[in-house]
């Protein structure tokens, strides 16, 4: 039977390293007075079709006639699935013609039963829940901005749709501080606009290359804003969807401050890559930011420091799942820090793969079951 983590198919939702180095024993006493209000409760298991593979993004939108949507990259099909994993219907997306997608599906956005967006980095197709094709847009970001900087669609970095406009995280490819964060497409239309500058105080950190290309977005259609979490900044940042910076959401004093590894490019070069990495990864790091509309709170991942010995052991291996972490809970009205989870072990969760349901925050578990996805449910008490 084909493993469902080989290349080929994905879901729509809103990294993992097998190396398990020693963690730095730091229980973050600054958070000692913050109560544990987010607790593990039940688990959620989603059953998949027998041939489902490489589950990148999951859209869990219970409706009258389907539970979730599956986009199949191998055959360019959209499949409607019920809670048992059975396919209730499917639609082949043509590669040519008026509604053709020449390249494989990369994202799905379910807006309502009249509008489902089927997306790759070159085209967006809009159809309804019955599979009726309505319109297709060609997105010309490669022609406009060159091949060095492209749309970044991956697990944990989904497309967003607000006010009839598509927003895609950009791939910065080392252009660092001068790059912008988001590709913006106003529909109908096919020209991209790059929006959202890096915060000035973040630019001063002189972080290592790929730390500029990773950031986490949280759309808020109700306030026409996008909240962004940067890995090396304890603050959050709010941008209006027109591209204007709105505010720094100052971090509560309980949350650790991260010290930049260098004061200039020359300083960074003189220290060398290994030393800079050590100065970064022996500190806390921040990850995905997720809005819970049922409880009007935000959840933000905070990862614990690694010891220098652990960093030496990892070498050039990515650190994506090498840290213990905690989930911080913010009140969405004032961004007060109102709670946290317990400290959670490294290697158990796929932290970028989250969904919010009435039962709570669901984070995908690394441990796989045959033709199933397992989630841990965290309930706010």
């Amino acid at each position: 039977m084909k493993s469902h983590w080989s290349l080929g198919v994905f879901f729509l939702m809103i990294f993992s390293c097998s190396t398990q180095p020693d963690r730095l024993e730091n229980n973050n006493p600054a958070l000692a007075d913050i109560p544990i209000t987010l607790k593990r409760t039940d688990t959620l298991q989603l059953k998949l079709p027998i041939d489902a593979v490489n589950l990148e993004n999951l859209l869990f939108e219970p409706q009258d006639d389907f539970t979730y949507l599956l986009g199949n990259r191998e055959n360019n099909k959209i499949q409607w699935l019920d809670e048992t994993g059975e396919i209730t219907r499917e639609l082949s997306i043509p590669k040519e013609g008026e509604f053709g997608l020449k390249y494989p599906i990369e994202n799905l956005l379910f807006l309502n039963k009249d509008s489902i967006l089927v997306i790759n980095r070159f085209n967006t197709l809009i159809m309804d829940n019955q599979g009726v094709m309505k319109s297709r847009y060609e997105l010309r970001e490669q022609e406009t901005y060159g091949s060095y900087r492209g749309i970044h669609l991956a697990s944990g970095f989904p497309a967003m749709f607000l006010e009839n406009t598509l927003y895609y995280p950009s791939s910065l490819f080392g252009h660092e501080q001068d790059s912008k964060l988001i590709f913006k497409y106003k529909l109908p239309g096919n020209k991209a606009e790059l929006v959202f500058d890096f915060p000035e105080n973040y630019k001063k950190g002189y972080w290592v290359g790929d730390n500029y290309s990773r950031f986490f977005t949280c759309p808020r259609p109700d306030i026409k804003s996008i909240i962004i979490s940067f890995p090396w900044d304890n603050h959050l940042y709010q941008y209006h969807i027109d591209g204007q910076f709105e505010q720094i959401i100052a971090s509560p004093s309980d949350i650790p401050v991260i010290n930049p590894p260098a004061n200039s490019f020359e300083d960074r070069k003189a220290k060398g890559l290994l030393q800079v990495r050590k100065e970064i990864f022996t500190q806390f790091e921040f990850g995905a930011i997720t809005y819970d509309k049922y409880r009007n709170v935000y959840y933000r991942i905070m990862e614990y420091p690694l010891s220098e010995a652990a960093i030496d052991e990892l070498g050039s291996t990515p650190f994506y799942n090498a840290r213990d972490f905690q989930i911080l809970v913010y009140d969405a009205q004032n961004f007060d820090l109102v709670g946290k989870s317990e400290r959670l072990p490294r290697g158990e969760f796929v932290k970028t793969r989250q969904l919010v349901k009435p039962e709570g925050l669901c984070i995908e578990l690394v441990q796989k079951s045959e033709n199933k996805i397992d989630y841990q449910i965290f309930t706010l008490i």
Side-chain angles (χ1 to χ4, degrees), residues 38 106 119 152 171 187 205 216 221 232 257 279 307 367-368:
L38 192 66
E106 294 184 79
I119 300 168
H152 182 197
S171 291
L187 300 179
F216 303 89
W232 315 118
V257 174
E279 291 185 24
S307 66
Q367 182 63 43
K368 303 298 185 299

Side-chain angles (χ1 to χ4, degrees), residues 39-220:
K39 293 192 174 184
R40 290 190 186 206
T41 51
D42 205 351
T43 56
L44 169 70
Q45 189 173 80
L46 299 180
K47 298 180 180 179
L48 308 173
I50 197 168
D51 61 347
V53 295
N54 192 35
L55 310 175
E56 286 291 335
N57 296 293
L58 174 66
L59 174 62
F60 192 87
E61 283 282 348
Q63 302 292 326
D64 296 336
D65 53 352
F66 76 97
T67 300
Y68 49 102
L69 288 173
L70 174 67
N72 190 320
R73 286 178 176 155
E74 290 187 335
N75 54 25
N76 250 28
K77 285 185 177 180
I78 305 297
Q79 297 169 324
W80 286 257
L81 309 176
D82 64 19
E83 68 279 357
T84 70
E86 292 296 319
I87 300 171
T88 58
R89 66 182 184 278
E90 61 183 13
L91 174 70
S92 293
I93 305 297
K95 290 188 175 182
E96 305 293 341
E98 181 182 2
F99 298 111
L101 292 182
K102 184 177 180 180
Y103 298 94
I105 303 163
E106 294 184 79
N107 250 186
L108 298 174
L109 287 177
F110 182 91
L111 306 181
N112 51 56
K113 288 192 174 184
D114 293 322
S115 298
I116 299 173
L117 277 61
V118 185
I119 300 168
N120 62 31
R121 65 195 64 206
F122 301 106
N123 304 100
T124 292
L125 179 66
I126 301 179
M127 66 181 192
D128 66 20
N129 194 39
Q130 299 304 312
V132 176
M133 306 294 185
K134 302 174 74 172
S135 55
R136 173 184 171 274
Y137 300 98
E138 183 178 352
L139 308 178
R140 298 178 180 172
E141 56 91 3
Q142 295 284 6
E143 295 177 16
T144 306
Y145 297 102
S147 60
Y148 70 86
R149 185 196 287 157
I151 288 170
H152 182 197
L153 293 175
S155 176
F157 305 92
M160 298 166 282
F161 190 81
L162 300 92
E163 297 290 306
N164 212 44
T165 302
L166 279 166
Y167 296 84
Y168 301 88
S170 68
S171 291
L172 306 178
F173 295 140
H175 287 258
E176 300 191 350
Q177 297 155 309
D178 294 331
S179 296
K180 293 183 182 290
L181 303 173
I182 300 288
F183 280 104
K184 173 185 174 183
Y185 290 93
K186 180 72 174 178
L187 300 179
N190 59 11
K191 291 293 184 180
E193 175 187 2
L194 276 165
V195 296
F196 299 2
D197 292 306
F198 277 100
E200 287 300 319
N201 60 320
Y202 199 68
K203 291 181 182 181
K204 297 174 183 177
Y206 296 95
W207 309 99
V208 179
D210 68 344
N211 301 318
Y212 278 107
S213 66
R214 276 199 306 126
F215 55 90
F216 303 89
T217 58
C218 179
R220 283 292 307 276

Side-chain angles (χ1 to χ4, degrees), residues 174 176-177 203 205-212 261-277 279-280:
E176 300 191 350
Q177 297 155 309
K203 291 181 182 181
Y206 296 95
W207 309 99
V208 179
D210 68 344
N211 301 318
Y212 278 107
N263 298 315
S264 66
F265 282 112
E266 291 75 17
D267 184 22
R268 191 177 78 178
K269 184 177 180 180
K271 285 186 173 183
L273 179 61
L274 180 59
Q275 181 59 32
V276 170
R277 281 165 64 93
E279 291 185 24
I280 291 174

Side-chain angles (χ1 to χ4, degrees), residues 9-23:
V9 177
F10 75 98
F11 282 88
L12 172 64
M13 86 170 179
I14 267 201
F15 289 125
S16 162
C17 172
S18 60
T19 304
Q20 299 293 310
D22 292 336
R23 66 189 182 184

Side-chain angles (χ1 to χ4, degrees), residues 332-358:
Q333 187 69 31
N334 301 309
F335 282 92
D336 294 325
L337 182 62
V338 295
K340 65 185 180 183
S341 71
E342 63 181 333
R343 180 167 172 163
L344 298 163
R346 64 188 183 270
E348 186 175 341
F349 299 90
V350 186
K351 296 185 290 292
T352 57
R353 294 176 183 163
Q354 304 178 13
L355 57 91
V356 175
K357 296 179 78 265

